Amino acid sequence: MVMSAGSGAVKRICVVGGGTAGFYVTQYLVKHLENCRVDVLEKLPVPFGLVRFGVAPDHPEVKNIINTFTKTASHPSVKFLGNVALGRDYTLKDLRENYNAVVLAYGAESDRNLNIPVDGEFRKILSARQFVAWYNGYPGAENVVTASHLQGRTAAIIGQGNVAVDVARILLSPIDQLRKTDITDYALEVLAASKVENVAMIGRRGPLQAAFTIKELREMLKLPGCQTTWRPESFVGIKESISTLPRPRKRLTELMLDSLSKQSPAMAPTSGRVFSPIFFRSPKCVRRSGNEFILDLIVNELQGDKAMATDATESLPIDLLLTSIGYSSLKEDSQLNFDSKKGIISNRDGRVLTNSQEIDPGLYVSGWLATGPTGVILTTMNNAFAVGQMICDDFKEKKIKEEDKPGINLSHKDVVSWSGWEKIDQEEVRRGSKVGKPREKIVSVDEMLKVGL
């Protein structure tokens, strides 16, 4: 049902963050809230957040959502302001003074800590977030991964979500397959020289709790020149529980069991690339043993759905360690009531709370900044639409004052408009067409500004 909040003064709303959550909130507002003006403020000169910098380059179909966001940005009631950052170019106080409502949707740009002892000489440890930012051309990530990181044969990934599978797939994909994507040229160069052949993906619980989806697993099983190996002991009793599972989990488990059934000791790979999901293990430490580094793993057993440590351990020689245990948001303004333990802004269903845990009228939060890094794009869309509905309701119920607000003036800053982004977009596509790619991303902010201003 389409809601309106009446006419009268222009309802000025600011959305901080030009990623998935920010655009979905904006889309909802311009469709359902009469007489509104929405300014989308983005830290980078380019929009789309994790759709641009998080989605794997070999998943172009997921990026089609950009078409929807482009329609939203082109709406006459929407203004995109790129290259302006909360805490650097303006404060939360500035926004509160210049808008009727403010939506914080700047996502999660930090990592949850692994918190295990790591030998001081072991330098080849990265977060999956850093690795993804590197191959996707996030400004400043160009040198996060170097050729030296990928000179060993074995990489271990802690975590079993879709991001972990993305990282494994990029490490194990044939380089000619990646050349057809919008992966950065510098990443292609390093990956082409990679000696990584074995990728172990380690999860603390079992196959029934695996966080990756069937689509991601199917891609790994079909990856050319790569074999997936399972540990049969991890699947004891799993077949008997199939009938009790909800359909998505049932289909995923059936696919794992089918893959396992085609595996035999005689098929153990002696060469080529290998992907090894390992269940019921938690990292204990990384230590040196002679000339190699060892990842010690704690053996877990399930009690209900919880992984409980046993006294048993096992050791895995590694050359590279990647952590994929979740993202965390940052406190970008001192006035924010930030829950540092959860890595989110304190809120009640999207309404931001004050330090005394009261609702702060006119201030909202959406996406991973509100919920933590959970779900997929559809999850974020539903959350953002719910926040948009809340804002409409609050205007209708007079919980937000409809006084005239001018919107923030950032004319003294180097602001990239939507037309400026379109110039950057066109230049990237032009550069990509020269080398047979959909685009060649500009990774330097200074260069983006030269093109877009």
Side-chain angles (χ1 to χ4, degrees):
M1 184 177 89
V2 175
M3 285 190 54
S4 73
S7 54
V10 172
K11 304 169 187 70
R12 290 201 178 271
I13 302 158
C14 175
V15 174
V16 181
T20 310
F23 268 105
Y24 273 133
V25 169
T26 303
Q27 177 186 326
Y28 192 94
L29 290 172
V30 295
K31 184 176 180 181
H32 294 267
L33 187 62
E34 283 185 5
N35 202 19
C36 72
R37 298 288 183 273
V38 184
D39 289 352
V40 179
L41 275 58
E42 166 57 43
K43 179 174 75 172
L44 292 173
V46 295
F48 308 136
L50 279 182
V51 178
R52 177 179 168 97
F53 295 115
V55 174
D58 57 349
H59 283 175
E61 72 286 350
V62 180
K63 300 183 185 184
N64 288 339
I65 197 172
I66 285 174
N67 298 329
T68 301
F69 295 161
T70 297
K71 288 179 183 176
T72 297
S74 304
H75 193 284
S77 295
V78 176
K79 184 192 293 184
F80 175 80
L81 303 166
N83 195 47
V84 288
L86 178 62
R88 183 189 72 194
D89 301 306
Y90 58 89
T91 65
L92 181 60
K93 183 172 181 285
D94 294 331
L95 299 182
R96 301 303 300 274
E97 289 174 352
N98 287 283
Y99 294 92
N100 302 104
V102 174
V103 184
L104 301 166
Y106 58 78
E109 294 187 29
S110 185
D111 296 300
R112 290 179 179 169
N113 294 323
L114 186 59
N115 290 329
I116 63 167
V118 176
D119 186 286
E121 292 184 37
F122 185 70
R123 313 284 169 156
K124 297 177 184 179
I125 180 168
L126 298 164
S127 71
R129 180 191 62 82
Q130 290 174 306
F131 192 77
V132 171
W134 170 73
Y135 66 63
N136 270 332
Y138 191 89
E142 302 94 304
N143 300 312
V144 165
V145 182
T146 64
S148 65
H149 283 98
L150 307 184
Q151 290 309 292
R153 291 184 67 249
T154 302
I157 305 172
I158 307 299
Q160 290 188 330
N162 281 342
V163 174
V165 182
D166 281 346
V167 168
R169 193 178 64 257
I170 296 297
L171 283 170
L172 295 170
S173 286
I175 197 69
D176 287 342
Q177 193 168 298
L178 294 176
R179 288 190 201 281
K180 302 168 187 173
T181 72
D182 68 358
I183 193 169
T184 55
D185 257 2
Y186 61 76
L188 275 175
E189 186 178 338
V190 171
L191 289 166
S194 170
K195 291 183 171 60
V196 174
E197 291 184 337
N198 304 310
V199 176
M201 187 178 72
I202 299 159
R204 59 193 171 88
R205 297 191 293 172
L208 294 182
Q209 292 79 33
F212 52 81
T213 59
I214 192 167
K215 176 182 180 292
E216 299 280 342
L217 176 59
R218 195 176 282 126
E219 285 180 321
M220 287 304 303
L221 295 177
K222 293 179 179 178
L223 196 63
C226 180
Q227 184 175 327
T228 298
T229 62
W230 308 91
R231 295 183 174 185
E233 62 270 23
S234 298
F235 290 85
V236 174
I238 296 294
K239 189 174 182 179
E240 291 74 17
S241 64
I242 285 278
S243 61
T244 66
L245 300 175
R247 188 167 182 272
R249 176 64 62 182
K250 180 180 178 182
R251 290 176 62 232
L252 174 60
T253 307
E254 286 174 339
L255 182 59
M256 287 189 272
L257 287 170
D258 179 65
S259 176
L260 173 63
S261 71
K262 296 171 182 174
Q263 175 180 305
S264 69
M267 292 173 60
T270 56
S271 63
R273 298 183 172 190
V274 181
F275 172 58
S276 304
I278 299 175
F279 297 105
F280 302 115
R281 300 292 185 271
S282 296
K284 181 181 180 183
C285 67
V286 177
R287 59 183 172 85
R288 176 184 275 282
S289 177
N291 292 324
E292 61 182 4
F293 289 97
I294 305 294
L295 172 62
D296 283 336
L297 298 169
I298 298 167
V299 178
N300 299 325
E301 60 183 26
L302 277 187
Q303 292 184 10
D305 260 357
K306 290 188 176 180
M308 305 300 291
T310 68
D311 293 333
T313 60
E314 71 173 69
S315 299
L316 179 70
I318 60 167
D319 302 293
L320 172 67
L321 181 64
L322 294 130
T323 61
S324 187
I325 55 175
Y327 292 25
S328 179
S329 298
L330 298 171
K331 183 177 182 177
E332 298 288 15
D333 189 286
S334 60
Q335 288 192 357
L336 287 171
N337 179 13
F338 193 79
D339 186 332
S340 55
K341 186 175 180 181
K342 294 181 179 177
I344 61 172
I345 290 176
S346 297
N347 71 97
R348 189 176 301 150
D349 299 324
R351 289 188 172 94
V352 173
L353 301 175
T354 64
N355 289 326
S356 57
Q357 301 304 300
E358 299 292 325
I359 289 173
D360 194 345
L363 187 58
Y364 306 85
V365 61
S366 181
W368 286 4
L369 188 57
T371 64
T374 59
V376 293
I377 288 175
L378 181 63
T379 317
T380 300
M381 181 189 79
N382 290 333
N383 170 268
F385 283 179
V387 171
Q389 175 73 62
M390 202 179 296
I391 295 169
C392 291
D393 291 344
D394 286 355
F395 270 111
K396 186 178 181 181
E397 295 167 16
K398 308 298 183 186
K399 293 178 181 177
I400 302 172
K401 292 179 181 178
E402 287 190 41
E403 52 194 354
D404 286 325
K405 295 283 189 176
I408 197 165
N409 181 3
L410 294 167
S411 58
H412 56 295
K413 303 287 183 182
D414 287 331
V415 178
V416 177
S417 65
W418 190 255
S419 62
W421 150 245
E422 289 175 330
K423 292 176 187 175
I424 296 169
D425 180 40
Q426 289 161 10
E427 176 61 16
E428 290 183 341
V429 171
R430 186 190 69 80
R431 294 182 186 188
S433 67
K434 285 185 170 183
V435 290
K437 297 169 67 175
R439 74 172 60 239
E440 186 62 54
K441 289 177 185 170
I442 299 171
V443 298
S444 159
V445 168
D446 287 344
E447 193 175 352
M448 288 177 184
L449 295 179
K450 285 177 185 175
V451 176
L453 288 178

